[in-house]
Amino acid sequence: MLYHNGNILIGSNGNDRNSDNDDADGVYFIDANTGSVTHQIKGLSIGDNDVNGLAIANDILYYGSDRNYVYAYDLKLKQEKWKYQLPNNLESVPGIANLNGDSIMDVVFNCERSGIYAFDGATGDTLWHSELYTHGGNSSPAIYDLNKDGIDDLVCGGYAQWALNGKDGSELWYQKKSSGVHGSPLIMEFKDSVRIHTVASYGDYDIFDLEGNRIGGVGAGYGLFASPVPSGKSLYSCVSTSWGSRSGVSSFSIDFNDWVYEEGKKRMGPGETIQYKGFGKSKACASAVSLDVDADGNVEFLIPDENGTLFIIHPEKEEAEEITMPSGAEATLFVGDFDGDGIISALYSGLDGYLYCYDLPKAKSIVWNSFRGPNNNGTINMGF
């Protein structure tokens, strides 16, 4: 979900995610004040036109579909700017990046089983294609200038964690994983360092520096499908697990100031490791959002499961509230003051086909507002 000029934009899988020729597929524009649908972008007239991830730059909306097309849609003119057919479908959020040094931001897509494609944002011309085995294509790229050459680079998952040079798509570094990677990377920028957090499906929570050196990590259960999300200065992270012995959601406590890496040892300083606490038993594939929900000065995680429970995790207390929702959810919440009334609201996209809006009257201090965070590119400046 995205906010643009008074509207909430959301991709839809239609009435049935497995059906073709579904008129409910596409991108919806929903008035942030009333909840009414103001516009719908439909795909091609035939086939499966499910839409998942969205990104906006320079008043251009970028998205991909299960019909194997990527699109650029002009939000001012309300018309298609360009489209390009890829070998397989698109399941992730596009990455917005400066790849060629001009004034127009460019876009990268993770294509299922077909690698990463980069396109000129202005023309739709292919800038490069990196032939990685990206299996389901679920991992959305995180964008950051890793090699400090003035051009954005990207970190993305598939059957490994890759860092790619934004200029030409060449490999900067590579970390082999024992399983596929569905979660999307988190890049956290501190005053004196940058850390990259990744999760693999079979339970590896890893932390890397910009050069791809593994700083630390932990085995965290089995079936990690969500993406790591940060809290504030209390320094926790949160992921969900959609299957295996630890279905539910987990909060990770991490001491970022004591990182020490010793060759051959999985440790994070003098006796320090990542500690995690699990909540719930149901499948959960959504990622969390993080904000101070109750104005107590601490940041909480909000994350839904697929059975209709919304968890509000208080990581510093190792506690979680459980709220029964109208339906389960697979999508990450979207939080912000969308109608300008000074109150933070939470948008909840249910598996019943409805988008719900709830006011959070005490909430403040949003850290991570949506699936790909405040910049919609998987990165955050922690400010300390």
Side-chain angles (χ1 to χ4, degrees):
M1 286 180 275
L2 295 175
Y3 176 86
H4 183 266
N5 288 350
N7 284 290
I8 304 299
L9 277 61
I10 183 170
S12 172
N13 285 184
N15 295 308
D16 183 347
R17 72 180 67 185
N18 298 311
S19 67
D20 290 342
N21 310 324
D22 188 339
D23 285 341
D25 286 344
V27 180
Y28 287 81
F29 293 61
I30 298 173
D31 187 289
N33 284 288
T34 66
S36 60
V37 176
T38 62
H39 184 58
Q40 180 189 359
I41 305 173
K42 293 188 177 183
L44 302 176
S45 58
I46 58 173
D48 187 354
N49 292 290
D50 291 351
V51 174
N52 292 299
L54 310 174
I56 294 175
N58 308 307
D59 286 316
I60 303 297
L61 171 67
Y62 299 98
Y63 63 96
S65 77
D66 283 2
R67 190 70 171 82
N68 304 352
Y69 277 89
V70 296
Y71 296 90
Y73 182 88
D74 191 312
L75 291 168
K76 288 184 176 180
L77 300 177
K78 289 195 173 181
Q79 65 184 31
E80 183 182 294
K81 184 177 177 66
W82 54 261
K83 68 175 180 285
Y84 191 93
Q85 188 172 18
L86 297 182
N88 287 296
N89 65 15
L90 290 305
E91 299 289 346
S92 58
V93 174
I96 300 297
N98 176 10
L99 301 179
N100 56 13
D102 63 13
S103 61
I104 305 298
M105 297 300 284
D106 307 301
V107 61
V108 293
F109 289 88
N110 182 354
C111 183
E112 182 177 347
R113 301 189 304 278
S114 303
I116 309 296
Y117 288 80
F119 298 94
D120 186 296
T123 65
D125 293 339
T126 303
L127 296 176
W128 49 260
H129 170 217
S130 183
E131 295 184 359
L132 310 177
Y133 186 43
T134 48
H135 71 97
N138 304 90
S139 181
S140 301
I143 307 298
Y144 194 84
D145 184 4
L146 301 173
N147 56 9
K148 304 302 182 183
D149 64 354
I151 297 296
D152 288 330
D153 307 303
L154 58 145
V155 181
C156 196
Y159 271 105
Q161 297 286 356
W162 285 280
L164 301 181
N165 191 321
K167 287 183 176 179
D168 56 12
S170 60
E171 183 182 296
L172 293 175
W173 52 262
Y174 161 91
Q175 289 285 348
K176 175 68 175 158
K177 303 307 299 178
S178 60
S179 66
V181 177
H182 289 271
S184 304
L186 162 67
I187 299 181
M188 304 175 72
E189 185 175 28
F190 302 92
K191 287 184 177 179
D192 58 356
S193 63
V194 177
R195 295 293 183 251
I196 302 168
H197 290 234
T198 67
V199 292
S201 299
Y202 283 6
D204 294 334
Y205 189 121
D206 291 316
I207 305 167
F208 303 100
D209 64 15
L210 290 180
E211 290 75 39
N213 300 306
R214 186 179 183 275
I215 302 299
V218 67
Y222 192 69
L224 301 182
F225 272 47
S227 306
V229 169
S231 68
K233 291 187 178 181
S234 52
L235 299 174
Y236 294 87
S237 185
C238 183
V239 299
S240 67
T241 55
S242 65
W243 44 276
S245 60
R246 284 199 177 94
S247 288
V249 297
S250 299
S251 170
F252 294 79
S253 172
I254 306 169
D255 188 342
F256 292 90
N257 298 313
D258 287 337
W259 279 345
V260 174
Y261 178 72
E262 295 182 10
E263 190 66 35
K265 296 182 180 180
K266 295 181 179 179
R267 55 182 295 189
M268 299 185 64
E272 295 282 348
T273 59
I274 301 177
Q275 303 293 326
Y276 66 89
K277 175 74 174 178
F279 304 96
K281 297 294 184 182
S282 300
K283 291 182 179 180
C285 61
S287 298
V289 293
S290 57
L291 71 163
D292 184 356
V293 176
D294 50 12
D296 66 349
N298 296 306
V299 172
E300 288 81 35
F301 297 112
L302 274 65
I303 183 168
D305 70 13
E306 296 180 27
N307 280 0
T309 298
L310 175 66
F311 292 89
I312 302 178
I313 298 176
H314 303 262
E316 77 288 345
K317 300 177 184 177
E318 295 192 346
E319 296 176 355
E321 300 175 50
E322 298 183 15
I323 299 175
T324 300
M325 304 300 288
S327 78
E330 294 179 344
T332 300
L333 275 66
F334 188 22
V335 294
D337 180 9
F338 304 116
D339 55 7
D341 64 356
I343 298 174
I344 293 174
S345 300
L347 296 175
Y348 183 95
S349 179
L351 290 172
D352 59 358
Y354 284 89
L355 179 64
Y356 299 88
C357 182
Y358 299 92
D359 277 344
L360 305 174
K362 294 183 179 180
K364 61 180 183 178
S365 303
I366 297 173
V367 176
W368 198 261
N369 67 328
S370 62
F371 174 52
R372 298 307 287 143
N375 303 307
N376 201 41
N377 64 2
T379 67
I380 185 170
N381 187 319
M382 297 302 293
F384 61 94

